[in-house]
């Protein structure tokens, strides 16, 4: 993202951009806030009851339906997101412990393994390296979640431990 690409999309000169923002970082930050709001709408619309799967499926659907916005938020140079991601991660892990009976260590590992898988799946799709329907992507996500849930069990320890 640069001033010229933004002004081209808006069909205006660069002057309004330079008058409205102190620099490119401020512009990227404002764009990041707006794109995160669009992503937030996906989260609100997702009907999955589990907070974890609601988060995962809305993340995947966002990548599926808005690959360029996904790449802006999660690509090589993402805008600063503050503490929101860390707070959300702590909330998910806390709920996994309370609802699933996982130890903190197991919940963190479960979360990490799902995050790596779902982020990889989303990135492959957003970059055109995976050509599945939404139902195909959703099925892969649900299968992986079920496999990890089975692997970790609800006892708080991985079954192989």
């Amino acid at each position: 993202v640069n001033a010229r690409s933004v002004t081209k999309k808006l069909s205006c000169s660069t002057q309004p951009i330079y008058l409205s923002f102190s620099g490119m970082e401020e512009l990227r930050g404002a764009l990041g806030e707006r794109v995160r709001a669009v992503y937030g709408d996906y989260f609100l619309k997702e009907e999955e009851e589990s907070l974890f799967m609601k988060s995962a499926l809305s993340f995947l659907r966002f990548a599926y339906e808005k690959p360029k916005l996904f790449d802006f938020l999660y690509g090589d140079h993402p805008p600063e997101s503050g503490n929101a991601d860390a707070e959300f991660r702590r909330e998910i892990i806390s709920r996994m412990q309370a609802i699933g009976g996982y130890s903190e260590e197991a919940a963190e590992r479960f979360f990490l393994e799902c995050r790596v898988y779902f982020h990889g799946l989303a990135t492959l799709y957003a970059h055109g390296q995976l050509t599945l329907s939404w139902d195909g992507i959703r099925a892969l996500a649900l299968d992986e979640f079920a496999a990890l849930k089975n692997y970790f069990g609800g006892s708080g320890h991985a079954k192989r431990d």
Side-chain angles (χ1 to χ4, degrees):
V1 175
N2 60 44
R4 289 188 195 274
S5 66
V6 171
T7 58
K8 183 177 179 183
K9 202 71 162 161
L10 296 174
S11 300
C12 69
S13 71
T14 56
Q15 187 176 7
I17 300 298
Y18 290 119
L19 289 174
S20 300
F21 300 97
S22 63
M24 284 307 300
E25 285 308 307
E26 186 179 349
L27 173 60
R28 285 182 56 77
L31 289 171
E33 285 179 30
R34 180 64 190 121
V35 173
R36 276 190 282 284
V38 170
Y39 169 62
D41 290 343
Y42 278 78
F43 181 79
L44 294 174
K45 291 176 188 173
E46 180 57 52
E47 296 179 5
E48 186 67 36
E49 288 183 33
S50 156
L51 178 63
F52 188 82
M53 286 310 296
K54 181 177 181 126
S55 171
L57 291 174
S58 62
F59 179 77
L60 290 169
R61 187 178 289 274
F62 179 65
Y64 181 78
E65 293 181 1
K66 305 285 187 192
K68 288 184 180 180
L69 295 181
F70 173 86
D71 199 44
F72 175 73
L73 277 186
Y74 300 102
D76 291 339
H77 304 289
E80 182 63 39
S81 65
N83 292 329
D85 290 341
E87 290 171 18
F88 185 74
R89 182 182 155 278
R90 282 191 297 274
E91 173 69 17
I92 293 285
I93 289 170
S94 176
R95 287 188 183 199
M96 289 173 74
Q97 289 176 265
I99 295 169
Y102 299 100
S103 68
E104 183 176 1
E105 182 181 344
E108 286 180 359
R109 181 63 187 230
F110 192 153
F111 177 84
L112 175 64
E113 291 194 24
C114 282
R115 185 173 184 183
V116 167
Y117 181 82
F118 295 146
H119 196 281
L121 190 58
T123 300
L124 286 170
Y125 188 84
H127 291 182
Q129 297 173 345
L130 186 64
T131 55
L132 292 174
S133 67
W134 168 246
D135 289 339
I137 290 172
R138 187 175 192 281
L140 284 175
L142 293 174
D143 287 350
E144 179 65 13
F145 182 74
L148 286 172
K149 193 173 175 183
N150 183 52
Y151 173 75
F152 282 97
S155 64
H157 300 285
K159 289 185 175 181
R160 71 175 175 202
D161 287 349

